[in-house]
Amino acid sequence: MTTAHSKPAGPEPGKGGGSGEADGEEVLRSFGYAQELKRSLGLTDLAVYGLVMMLPIAPFTIFGAVFNESKGMVALTYLIGLVAMLFTALSYREMSRAFPVAGSVYSYAGRGINDKVGFLAGWAILLDYLLVPTLLYVMSAAALNSLMPSVPQWCWVVMFVLVNTTINLMGIDSTARLNRLFLLAELVVLALFVGFSLAAVAEGENGARFSFDPMLNPDLLTPGLIFGALSIAVLSFLGFDGISTLSEEVRDGDRRLVGRATLVALCVVAVLFVTQTWVAALLVPGRTGFAGDDATNSAFYDIAWIAGGGWLKQTTAVAAALATGVANSLVAQAATSRLLFSMARDRKLPAFLARVHPVRRTPERAILFVAAVSLALGLTFTGQISLLSQLVNFGALFSFLVLHVAVFVHFRLRHRSTRWHLHVLAPALGLAIIGTVLWNADADAKTGGLAWLAIGVLVLVFFRLTGRGANLTLED
């Protein structure tokens, strides 16, 4: 890789020297790119995007599985998940400030280490990003099919793909506005559940009483138990990294906003996760698991019935289905298209994916490509939620490992940073935690993930034989 080292040609973002957008364009040019995407997102837009991507009501769908793995200590599992993800979020923050370009971990590893490692990191997280919309469509179709069995699941998949693709093609402003509406709707449903559940606990429904057992039960706590549950619960936190794909659409080109939004979204969603799972677990006192797949999959909705009756059970089930099928899938498609755009711009993927609409300033061909892949995979893997979930986890976790290494290499080895807590300790702890979770991941997920990486290596060999490569410009 040929690497050019240069100082930014213009002033610091947002500190004079013209309009904020002009500053952002100048910073982007210092990395060798022209400003093509529309800069219109502020801190709130980015944080809301991250929250919708992580889905505040995500525990609705996997509560039973995490409950079984953690012997009822679901709230503790999510709290540990927050600690684990915080180190990764800090690494994202540091790299997003150093390299405010689209592409997420692909760009960070490519510039922090080298373009070959960057490609493999991007290739790994591409497994996550390409499969996340598919997973969400399949999950939503299964949930809605249980409510309306006469409608085939493939019909729901097709409908969700068409709706989300249309919205994303309209532009990032339309996506941002709808994100706020989606988030508000999810928070209303969540507030209803928590409110009725707390009232039910106060009245002693189902023998419930206020207790911290869902947070910590020393008699059952073991390291293996927590890491086993964490490997499932971590899926709920995946998505905060998607904020970094919007770096080139940040208003005023302020490179600090992506990192701030990442930490804000992660902490807020963790509070919501812990609160709802703690309250839900209180309504099934004395239990350490649910027997059978049906009872496990419907555990949260059955608890909602205990709290408020049939209407609350239906409300939470429909909210979860629509939130995953529309809200969450919408932002997942947006993030994936930005990753494809960034890799195609660097000639790491077919050039047609780098096409940007001249008016709406969206990567339209990348959006359509994601839609086509999601539709094909969604129709193929209908009902196979477990397999898709495991593969998504592998892609994200492997890329996180590379991200932590990139932070250490770029800041400590290359620039001799003395900020040990951010550039040595935090990435080391993040590496250890993510590595442990990945090591304990499902065997089929590791096999499938390694096969995907092997394909990536073959693509790299092809690039080398054909003389293709990207000149990634570094800014010191």
Side-chain angles (χ1 to χ4, degrees):
M1 177 185 70
T2 302
T3 305
H5 296 269
S6 62
K7 296 287 183 182
E12 243 182 287
K15 292 188 178 181
S19 68
E21 179 153 354
D23 290 344
E25 293 178 6
E26 192 167 356
V27 170
L28 193 57
R29 281 198 300 271
S30 71
F31 289 98
Y33 301 125
Q35 181 68 51
E36 297 181 86
L37 303 178
K38 184 178 181 180
R39 288 193 177 276
S40 61
L41 303 179
L43 178 62
T44 301
D45 296 316
L46 294 170
V48 169
Y49 179 94
L51 286 170
V52 174
M53 189 85 169
M54 287 183 282
L55 195 62
I57 58 176
F60 284 16
T61 58
I62 61 172
F63 177 84
V66 182
F67 190 97
N68 289 351
E69 288 289 338
S70 64
K71 303 299 183 183
M73 290 176 283
V74 190
L76 176 63
T77 301
Y78 280 108
L79 192 60
I80 295 175
L82 168 64
V83 175
M85 291 295 103
L86 270 177
F87 295 114
T88 301
L90 285 172
S91 288
Y92 265 103
R93 186 190 70 175
E94 294 303 295
M95 296 304 276
S96 68
R97 290 179 175 180
F99 307 111
V101 295
S104 187
V105 70
Y106 156 71
S107 297
Y108 303 154
R111 289 173 168 80
I113 305 177
N114 62 54
D115 66 333
K116 297 177 184 61
V117 176
F119 173 81
L120 287 178
W123 186 260
I125 206 166
L126 197 57
L127 178 64
D128 167 18
Y129 279 17
L130 285 176
L131 289 181
V132 161
T134 302
L135 171 63
L136 297 172
Y137 294 139
V138 169
M139 290 172 65
S140 297
L144 290 175
N145 182 254
S146 67
L147 298 175
M148 290 175 277
S150 61
V151 181
Q153 293 189 37
W154 67 265
C155 287
W156 294 116
V157 173
V158 172
M159 185 193 73
F160 289 141
V161 170
L162 290 176
V163 169
N164 288 334
T165 302
T166 301
I167 296 172
N168 269 314
L169 287 173
M170 291 170 62
I172 194 64
D173 290 337
S174 298
T175 304
R177 285 193 295 269
L178 285 173
N179 281 342
R180 296 192 182 207
L181 293 177
F182 290 143
L183 179 61
L184 178 61
E186 291 176 38
L187 293 178
V188 168
V189 173
L190 185 56
L192 286 172
F193 171 78
V194 172
F196 277 90
S197 296
L198 288 174
V201 173
E203 294 172 2
E205 290 286 345
N206 199 41
R209 63 181 179 82
F210 288 103
S211 165
F212 283 103
D213 285 348
M215 186 66 70
L216 180 62
N217 189 334
D219 295 334
L220 299 175
L221 186 63
T222 64
L225 180 147
I226 290 300
F227 274 108
L230 187 58
S231 65
I232 299 174
V234 74
L235 180 63
S236 299
F237 286 102
L238 300 185
F240 69 88
D241 53 293
I243 297 175
S244 64
T245 65
L246 304 179
S247 290
E248 293 179 30
E249 293 160 273
V250 173
R251 185 186 305 137
D252 296 336
D254 190 341
R255 65 178 67 191
R256 298 168 299 177
L257 292 188
V258 167
R260 289 175 179 173
T262 300
L263 290 172
V264 168
L266 185 63
C267 291
V268 169
V269 85
V271 171
L272 298 176
F273 286 169
V274 171
T275 300
Q276 65 191 278
T277 55
W278 172 67
V279 172
L282 290 177
L283 286 169
V284 284
R287 296 194 68 158
T288 57
F290 298 94
D293 291 340
D294 290 340
T296 299
N297 293 335
S298 65
F300 197 95
Y301 310 120
D302 292 338
I303 292 172
W305 183 87
I306 295 173
W311 75 270
L312 187 57
K313 177 179 180 178
Q314 294 288 337
T315 299
T316 53
V318 172
L322 294 180
T324 53
V326 180
N328 202 355
S329 303
L330 177 68
V331 294
Q333 185 185 39
T336 307
S337 65
R338 271 61 178 181
L339 175 62
L340 293 174
F341 161 78
S342 181
M343 295 182 73
R345 182 175 60 182
D346 289 338
R347 301 177 63 219
K348 298 301 187 184
L349 289 176
F352 79 91
L353 293 172
R355 157 79 177 181
V356 174
H357 192 279
V359 178
R360 293 186 290 270
R361 298 171 71 180
T362 57
E364 58 176 359
R365 293 183 182 176
I367 292 172
L368 291 172
F369 180 79
V370 176
V373 171
S374 298
L375 182 60
L377 293 178
L379 296 178
T380 302
F381 291 99
T382 298
Q384 300 186 46
I385 295 175
S386 178
L387 174 62
L388 289 171
S389 300
Q390 293 159 4
L391 290 173
V392 164
N393 267 345
F394 181 93
L397 294 174
F398 181 86
S399 67
F400 291 169
L401 289 178
V402 179
L403 171 73
H404 290 303
V405 175
V407 171
F408 177 76
V409 171
H410 176 71
F411 288 103
R412 176 59 198 149
L413 297 186
R414 182 177 294 156
H415 292 288
R416 302 298 178 186
S417 169
T418 56
R419 303 177 72 185
W420 292 86
H421 60 299
L422 287 175
H423 302 148
V424 178
L425 181 60
L429 291 173
L431 192 72
I433 294 171
I434 297 299
T436 302
V437 174
L438 189 59
W439 181 262
N440 288 283
D442 182 86
D444 290 339
K446 287 187 282 191
T447 300
L450 290 173
W452 175 257
L453 287 178
I455 296 173
V457 171
L458 293 177
V459 174
L460 267 181
V461 172
F462 171 77
F463 284 163
R464 183 175 181 83
L465 293 176
T466 57
R468 294 176 60 185
N471 297 324
L472 302 182
T473 303
L474 294 178
E475 180 186 52
D476 291 320

